[in-house]
Amino acid sequence: MEVIRVEGGYPISGEVTVEGAKNSVLKLMAASILASGKTVLSNVPNISDVHVMGKVLTYLGASITVINEHELEIDTTNVHKYDAPYHLVAQMRASTAVLGPLLGRFKRATVAMPGGCNIGARKIDMHILGLEALGVSFEITHGNIHATIPNGLHGATIKLEFPSVGATENLMMASVHATGTTIIENAAREPEIVDLANFLCEMGAHITGAGTPIIEVKGVDHELSCVPHHVVVGDRIEAGTFISIGGLCKDPVVVKGFNPQHLSLVLKKYELMGMNIEYGTNWVRVSRDRDLQSVDIQTLPYPGFPTDMQAQTVCLLALANNSSVVTENVFENRFMFASELQRMGAQIRIEGHHAVIHGIRKFSAACVKSPDLRGGAALVMAGLVADGYTTVSQIAHIDRGYERFVEKLQGLGASIARIEVPDEEE
């Protein structure tokens, strides 16, 4: 069993460059199905979730060529299947993003129900309701969603109950070939939504309003074209993770390769917590010369505080000078990592979707388990300043979203390594 072992107390400083956004590239890969031919994506992170989406596309009939470590060519000429089986969907919830593109290309799709996951149910109800408004008929049998378009896709006005990223993406991709205009109200506004909309427009779609609460899609009746080259937007969550690490460890850390405006609220909160932050067009420099200050935060859809930065921020607040309350409004099970952080001495009390945190002076090294992607990163982060050796197991979660996480931390001065241990030691 492979684990990450960290020896705390080493100075952390220097420069680190983040990869392309996990939450964008997966949907761009899915969107490539809408056209027949070769699409090239660059700034692609080499992470396990990308590998899984590659398996989904390969199963459907696409061929994927790795041009170099961060560039993929996706040839969808021979895509002929329109079903995404459970053994692939179960590995990664984002696999359901092929629903919209398959409907757009084949007028039918079969996708396994995603079920629950560690951080919450991620229900697909809003996807189905929105697609039904466009003329899609659904039948759910034997754990599969069977979608057909008996009378063609037609534009509609769809108001989402919640600004769901996945539902917004599937509706955008499905509606590019609908007759008339589709309006998505209360749409998700994340930068990754904007990246997908730009990509679809490069393919020949007509989409406006991405990044605002109202997105308009004017259906086109011509075939979409492949995109010869698209650069994936920088990963704001990977950037935020390294910024939080710099703020935790005090010495200057420069994080490059992303748009700081995509983390504006996080950076404001971190300044209130006592961090010194400078930034340019694609970089942030963070350091700290005073104690961490307690603040309250609540996670909300973009441009609110991202749920994907909640665990890293709780790690910071666990060492702050007073008490803080963190409210999780997006996923119901996102505090699972807190019990592992408590093993390292953190004083955290969970009350429903609130975490009440009382700051302590120092973390105590311990053996902990990564419960999910961001929680795992937060536990490694805590180990950087703990007294002694911290071992983090179940690191496959971390590999889903961070490329060369250990190597990048080593480059900043951390005493950290991936090691093999017997299963009973894990």
Side-chain angles (χ1 to χ4, degrees):
M1 179 66 64
E2 199 173 32
V3 301
I4 293 175
R5 184 159 288 172
V6 193
E7 183 181 3
Y10 282 74
I12 302 296
S13 65
E15 291 189 1
V16 62
T17 300
V18 302
E19 313 301 333
K22 173 184 90 77
N23 292 333
S24 184
V25 68
L26 301 175
K27 315 308 169 61
L28 300 178
M29 293 174 71
S32 70
I33 296 169
L34 282 163
S36 176
K38 296 178 180 179
T39 290
V40 175
L41 299 175
S42 62
N43 200 30
V44 175
N46 185 9
I47 54 176
S48 60
D49 270 14
V50 168
H51 303 161
V52 173
M53 184 59 84
K55 291 178 183 177
V56 173
L57 296 185
T58 301
Y59 174 86
L60 295 172
S63 62
I64 297 178
T65 302
V66 179
I67 299 173
N68 59 51
E69 188 180 9
H70 295 115
E71 193 166 44
L72 297 179
E73 179 188 82
I74 304 170
D75 188 346
T76 57
T77 304
N78 296 317
V79 168
H80 60 283
K81 294 181 181 178
Y82 50 84
D83 63 300
Y86 180 71
H87 77 274
L88 292 173
V89 175
Q91 293 181 52
M92 183 185 65
R93 232 42 50 103
S95 303
T96 57
V98 299
L99 179 59
L102 288 174
L103 285 168
R105 180 159 173 174
F106 296 106
K107 313 305 178 193
R108 62 178 58 225
T110 299
V111 177
M113 285 286 286
C117 72
N118 284 356
I119 60 173
R122 305 199 192 199
K123 295 176 181 176
I124 201 167
D125 307 30
M126 278 186 284
H127 301 237
I128 292 174
L129 289 171
L131 290 168
E132 283 179 336
L134 297 175
V136 181
S137 294
F138 287 93
E139 182 180 359
I140 300 176
T141 59
H142 306 294
N144 292 316
I145 303 167
H146 301 274
T148 56
I149 306 172
N151 299 306
L153 287 171
H154 54 79
T157 297
I158 303 160
K159 186 165 186 176
L160 295 178
E161 176 186 349
F162 177 85
S164 161
V165 172
T168 300
E169 291 165 336
N170 257 327
L171 289 170
M172 279 200 302
M173 291 187 281
S175 62
V176 295
H177 285 311
T179 302
T181 299
T182 297
I183 296 174
I184 307 169
E185 298 181 349
N186 198 26
R189 300 164 60 184
E190 275 75 0
E192 295 79 17
I193 294 285
V194 177
D195 200 22
L196 175 60
N198 290 340
F199 181 74
L200 292 170
C201 288
E202 290 165 22
M203 296 178 79
H206 293 162
I207 301 174
T208 57
T212 77
I214 299 177
I215 295 175
E216 184 176 290
V217 185
K218 292 183 179 178
V220 298
D221 56 9
H222 57 77
E223 289 188 7
L224 297 186
S225 303
C226 292
V227 179
H229 184 228
H230 181 89
V231 181
V232 181
V233 67
D235 196 321
R236 62 194 171 99
I237 304 302
E238 184 188 4
T241 301
F242 282 107
I243 290 168
S244 62
I245 287 170
L248 178 70
C249 299
K250 295 187 177 183
D251 290 339
V253 170
V254 176
V255 184
K256 305 165 72 174
F258 78 110
N259 185 345
Q261 292 183 356
H262 295 166
L263 278 180
S264 57
L265 184 56
V266 173
L267 297 179
K268 287 177 183 175
K269 284 289 186 180
Y270 283 4
E271 285 179 329
L272 290 175
M273 291 170 64
M275 298 182 200
N276 307 311
I277 295 177
E278 305 168 45
Y279 56 90
T281 55
N282 69 342
W283 58 270
V284 161
R285 182 181 186 273
V286 59
S287 62
R288 181 168 59 85
D289 53 16
R290 58 190 176 118
D291 290 343
L292 285 166
Q293 308 296 301
S294 297
V295 298
D296 295 340
I297 66 168
Q298 58 174 327
T299 65
L300 288 167
Y302 190 86
F305 197 97
T307 182
D308 279 350
M309 283 302 302
Q310 181 248 97
Q312 302 91 312
T313 305
V314 167
C315 179
L316 289 164
L317 293 173
L319 295 181
N321 63 348
N322 214 314
S323 297
S324 307
V325 177
V326 173
T327 302
E328 173 57 55
N329 293 308
V330 180
F331 291 125
E332 64 267 32
N333 297 331
R334 199 108 207 211
F335 288 130
M336 288 193 305
F337 77 96
S339 60
E340 297 298 303
L341 202 59
Q342 286 169 340
R343 287 175 50 78
M344 301 180 70
Q347 294 188 18
I348 304 173
R349 186 174 75 255
I350 306 301
E351 298 179 357
H353 64 124
H354 305 284
V356 181
I357 306 160
H358 301 288
I360 60 172
R361 295 295 299 172
K362 193 173 183 63
F363 288 127
S364 176
C367 293
V368 292
K369 292 184 178 182
S370 169
D372 55 62
L373 169 54
R374 308 305 174 184
L379 293 170
V380 172
M381 175 178 161
L384 294 172
V385 293
D387 59 346
Y389 287 92
T390 294
T391 301
V392 182
S393 59
Q394 297 183 359
I395 61 173
H397 290 298
I398 298 172
D399 292 337
R400 287 186 47 232
Y402 294 97
E403 178 182 329
R404 299 184 301 110
F405 191 48
V406 167
E407 290 84 350
K408 288 182 179 182
L409 287 171
Q410 288 171 340
L412 294 174
S415 176
I416 183 172
R418 296 172 72 113
I419 62 172
E420 294 278 350
V421 298
D423 286 354
E424 61 269 17
E425 187 183 329
E426 179 232 343

